[in-house]
Structures are given as structure tokens and as C-alpha cells.
Amino acid sequence: MITLIKFGTSGWRAKIGEHFSVHNIRRVACATALHIKENKRYGYNGEEYEFYLKSRNKSKPNVPLVIIGYDTRFFSEIAARIVAEVFAYHGINVIFSNIESPTPTVAWMVMKNNAVGGVMITASHNPPEYNGYKWTPFWGGPATVEITNDIESKAFSLPDSLCERYMDFEAGVSNKIIKVADFHQDYFEQINKIIDFKKIKSVKPKVAIDSVYGTARTYLKKLLLDCGLNIVGIRENRDVYFGGHSPDTDEENLKDLKLNVTKNKCDIGLACDGDADRFGIVTSSGKWLSPNLVLGLCYYHLLENKKMKGGVVRSVMTSHMVDVIAKNYGCEVRETPVGFKYIGDLLKTGAYLIGGEESGGLSITGHVPEKDGILACLLVTEMICYDRSGIDKIIEKAEKMFGKFYNARINFKISEDMDMGKIVERLKNNPPLKIGNNAVWRIDHTDGFKFILKNGAWLGLRPSGTEPVVRIYAEANEQSLLNKLIEEGKNIVNGK
């Protein structure tokens, strides 16, 4: 039986050796090759690709070109080579990373080389038994549903015989169809255009960096070492089990970073997840910062310290802190469904300064329209060098100016006897008009259900389409109200 290859918000992911197999990797690579050659909108001869290059005065490569990178997971480099071999058979040129590389680096290489797209072998922050395949189209951001649907349908209909056709990797290199290259310098040159490394070099903060055994290990530390910083590095080796924990940047997984920051009296702690598209920040006092707060601080830093101008894009379940900051500076706010592809679509227009989401994704205009954890870490480092009062004082200052924002997200598992469809139907037809003692002022249906109260607090509910989980989001100006909102969210899901 053919394994159904389904793309989520960040590509196709499956368990290694189960559905993430050699045959299925060849199948999805073959489907992508046919998408590149045949799709009249997003392929090599597609109108959108042609328009994209023309609008930027770029030349189209003589033959289709694809960038391929991979993370530090088990089987990642082998899977990447398998993909390259399939593309080579189909006459598609490949620039192949000589070492594991971050997702945003692959995105930048796609943009810099005018490639028709890029493949990243990664399962990002998923558990270590998973791996995945992410397609990045020519604009350097996440693929749209239209694109992934085309690849999925092609993968389903392909005969096995076609899927198993490939050119040996070494033959591809000999024939100059596959070029093995170092991605570091191209990415570093791009980052140097964004970050004020002279300022960082002049201040020389002491920094702790947690690579979480992932792809940031040869990128983030190197950029800051070149500034002459005193750096404490942890989890810098490759461990395909990620220490027995998902390679995430949540508070639980950054315990060692918190300890190292306080023990070594560092000014800041920085971390990236497995493929370095998400970030984690720890203050000098050992406090983990929520991505919601980091997004707000970075936006404030760009506006206030760097005197940049522009609005902000955030997903519907992301903190309203950036809304208050934008209003204070006379800037626009755009709200999108959950998923960085929607944020990236707006960032690539150049009309917005920064975009981000509560799950730890952030990028800025003029860079890749893709999450970049390395960039986020460098922006925070740059911020504490502009304002030398320290990160905790910077937060205090921001809270005095814009108010306090307490927020949380939990995955609430529903009982086996509950039907997710009926929960969604109930929320649509009979939504709560009162949450606790507070009347619901407005209901936002952008993505899930967001109940906004008149005092500015809100409760968000997003039923999962793949597991028996309702994601509960909430924000308030007091911790006690936040706790009440979370409990009310559970009650609403349970129909109480």
C-alpha cells in the first residue's frame, strides 16, 4: 500500500524507519521534481516564479536549481543525499550543504541563488524518533497549501517504478549536477547586513548559548565569537536523541541554560531548537522569557533603538503586546491565522517591519520570510548592547510603557468519549457570551475561536485536526485572571 504523504504547517513528518523510509523519501522527492518541471504556476517555468525573478531583476538559472539542507537528526544526511539523487536523475541541479544547516539558512540560500526552491530534511522540534521533509519555494518562505497539495497528489499517484529512479550521488557530483557547498558564509553576510555587530563588539556582553544538539551549533556561537565575546556553550555536540528530549526551546528543555547563565553570571542566555527556526531566551537572573514577550521587545528595540519604521504581523493567538507598541508608534498591526506561512506572505511584501508568533517564530523585513531563531537571538543580544541597563531592566521599562501581559498556552486533551466535531459545532452555534464574570466583547474566527473581553484579556481555543487535543491560549494583565481564563477554557471545552 502507498503511504499517504501529508504536509502539515511545516512539511511532511513521520517516524524514522516506519513511514519515513528510503522509498517514501524517493517518492516525495520524485513528486517534488515533477512539481518543479510541470507546475504552471510555481514550477521552474511557472508564472509566479518568472514574475518573482523579474520583479527583483534576477536571472533564472539555465536549468532548475534546488538547495538541499538537513538537520542533526538520525538519518538526516542520508535522506538529504537520497533527495539529491532523485533530483539529479530528473535533470535538476542541486547545491548540497556540506554539513547540517538551519532551516533559515536553506531559505536564504534559495533566495540568494534564485533557486526554484529548497528541501530541508528536518522534523524541527518533534521528538527524536521523527524526521521530515520541508519544501521551501523560491521566495524563501513556507510552502502554501496549493503547493503542498500538488506535491501530495503527485506522490500518491506515482508508480513505484518511477519513484525508484535516481542518479548515484557521487555520479551527480562528478557530472556537476550536484554541488557540495558550505552555506555559512552566505548566511553570515546576510546577517551582517541586519545586526549591528560593531555595537555588540564594543559592549562585549557575556553570553551563554544552548545549541540543543541542533544546527545552530556551528552558526550562532561563531557569529558572536567573531565579536570577541566571552561565551559559555552547552549541548554543542551532535546527539541524535537530543538528550532524550524533543529539541525544543520551551522552559522545561532550557533548565541547563538557566543554570549556566546564573552560575557563570552571563548577561543573556540564547537557544535555538533543532533546526534553528525557533528561539529561546533566558535573562541574566535565570528567567525564561516567553516568545510573546521576546517578539514585543524586539519590535520595540527596532523602533526605539534602531529608529526603524514599520508595522507588525502576528498570528491570531499571539500576544497583543505588539499591538500596544504599534499604536504607541503610530504603526499598523496585521493579524493572521496560525502558521508562519501567513506571516511570511506579508513580510515578503516589505510593508511590515517584523512578524512573529507565540510558538517562537520571528523574522524581519529584508530577510527570509521564514522563522529564524538565530536572527531572534542576535536581535536580543543587540538590544542589550544598545540599552546597557540589562535585560531585566529593559523588561521593567517596557512594562511601564506598555503594560504587563501574562499569557499561556496549554494542550488540553479531551476525553475518549468526546467528539471533536461536536465540540467545534457547539462553539460555532452556541459560543459562550460570558467568561467567568466578564462579558465577551468580540469573537474572532480567524483561526479557531478567540473570545475577547472588554478589558483586553482574551481566551483562544483551537481544536486540533489530527489529535484529541484542544489548544487553549489566554492573555490577561494579571496572573490570577490568566489562571481563571485557562480554567474557563477547559470548562468550555468540556461543555460545562
Side-chain angles (χ1 to χ4, degrees), residues 297 300 321 393-403:
L297 292 175
Y300 172 58
M321 180 183 183
K393 290 290 184 184
I394 293 170
I395 293 169
E396 283 181 26
K397 189 191 302 181
E399 288 177 343
K400 284 179 183 177
M401 291 179 67
F402 310 117

Side-chain angles (χ1 to χ4, degrees), residues 423-461:
I423 293 173
V424 172
E425 188 178 346
R426 171 162 48 83
L427 289 170
K428 281 182 179 177
N429 299 329
N430 190 27
L433 302 179
K434 201 173 185 181
I435 296 177
N437 297 319
N438 299 285
V440 174
W441 174 58
R442 184 166 65 89
I443 302 175
D444 189 328
H445 295 282
T446 301
D447 192 341
F449 305 88
K450 184 175 179 181
F451 306 99
I452 303 168
L453 311 181
K454 226 167 187 180
N455 62 6
W458 55 269
L459 170 69
L461 303 175

Side-chain angles (χ1 to χ4, degrees), residues 1-7 12-29 31 151-160 163:
M1 289 181 65
I2 294 174
T3 298
L4 277 178
I5 292 171
K6 295 291 293 180
F7 283 72
W12 165 58
R13 295 176 187 177
K15 285 188 177 180
I16 301 167
E18 193 172 301
H19 295 306
F20 195 82
S21 62
V22 172
H23 177 74
N24 283 336
I25 294 164
R26 285 185 180 141
R27 178 174 288 278
V28 73
I151 296 173
E152 284 174 3
S153 64
K154 283 179 167 59
F156 180 74
S157 60
L158 286 172
D160 285 348
C163 296

Side-chain angles (χ1 to χ4, degrees), residues 45-332:
N45 292 313
E47 57 187 32
E48 293 286 348
Y49 182 45
E50 300 271 5
F51 176 78
Y52 174 83
L53 293 175
K54 187 176 180 181
S55 65
R56 286 159 178 76
N57 294 316
K58 303 289 186 181
S59 300
K60 187 165 82 168
N62 293 329
V63 296
L65 171 66
V66 168
I67 310 298
I68 298 180
Y70 49 93
D71 68 9
T72 57
R73 289 172 180 270
F74 176 74
F75 201 62
S76 283
E77 183 178 2
I78 297 170
R81 288 170 69 97
I82 290 167
V83 173
E85 290 176 338
V86 173
F87 285 159
Y89 170 82
H90 285 276
I92 296 169
N93 283 356
V94 169
I95 299 180
F96 189 91
S97 181
N98 69 336
I99 191 173
E100 69 268 1
S101 53
T103 289
T105 300
V106 171
W108 174 247
M109 291 295 288
V110 168
M111 294 175 68
K112 184 179 188 298
N113 291 280
N114 308 322
V116 71
V119 171
M120 178 68 186
I121 300 297
T122 182
S124 190
H125 60 285
N126 273 36
E129 62 267 27
Y130 284 82
N131 213 325
Y133 177 103
K134 181 172 184 176
W135 173 248
T136 297
F138 48 84
W139 61 80
T144 62
V145 174
E146 183 182 351
I147 290 173
T148 55
N149 282 349
D150 185 43
I151 296 173
E152 284 174 3
S153 64
K154 283 179 167 59
F156 180 74
S157 60
L158 286 172
D160 285 348
S161 57
L162 181 57
C163 296
E164 290 300 325
R165 295 177 188 174
Y166 60 93
M167 178 186 292
D168 182 75
F169 189 88
E170 299 307 328
V173 173
S174 297
N175 291 320
K176 297 184 179 179
I177 297 174
I178 300 172
K179 176 185 176 184
V180 180
D182 188 335
F183 292 1
H184 288 77
Q185 194 54 42
D186 286 330
Y187 179 77
F188 289 170
E189 286 176 5
Q190 164 66 1
I191 286 294
N192 268 278
K193 295 173 185 174
I194 301 170
I195 300 297
D196 188 349
F197 284 106
K198 285 184 179 178
K199 175 67 76 172
I200 295 173
K201 193 172 184 178
S202 68
V203 177
K204 284 188 171 60
K206 189 173 184 181
V207 178
I209 296 178
D210 187 352
S211 299
V212 196
Y213 307 113
T215 58
R217 67 196 186 112
T218 62
Y219 281 81
L220 181 56
K221 185 177 179 180
K222 176 69 168 62
L223 283 161
L224 292 176
L225 277 176
D226 287 349
C227 295
L229 269 58
N230 183 359
I231 294 174
V232 177
I234 64 172
R235 297 197 281 188
E236 298 177 297
N237 59 300
R238 183 186 181 194
D239 177 357
V240 297
Y241 294 107
F242 302 108
H245 191 290
S246 297
D248 207 344
T249 50
D250 57 0
E251 187 170 8
E252 174 67 23
N253 197 32
L254 297 188
K255 283 180 180 177
D256 285 349
L257 179 60
K258 292 165 74 173
L259 288 171
N260 274 275
V261 167
T262 53
K263 177 185 173 183
N264 294 286
K265 297 181 180 178
C266 295
D267 296 297
I268 199 76
L270 311 172
C272 293
D273 72 342
D275 66 326
D277 68 345
R278 300 187 188 204
F279 60 85
I281 306 295
V282 172
T283 72
S284 53
S285 59
K287 180 184 177 184
W288 177 84
L289 299 183
S290 77
N292 278 313
L293 178 56
V294 176
L295 174 61
L297 292 175
C298 287
Y299 185 36
Y300 172 58
H301 163 62
L302 294 175
L303 293 168
E304 182 65 24
N305 296 328
K306 301 194 78 173
K307 307 303 178 187
M308 298 174 78
K309 296 179 181 179
V312 60
V313 185
R314 61 160 177 80
S315 61
V316 65
M317 298 301 178
T318 296
S319 171
H320 291 196
M321 180 183 183
V322 291
D323 300 46
V324 178
I325 296 171
K327 184 178 180 181
N328 193 73
Y329 284 85
C331 298
E332 182 187 359

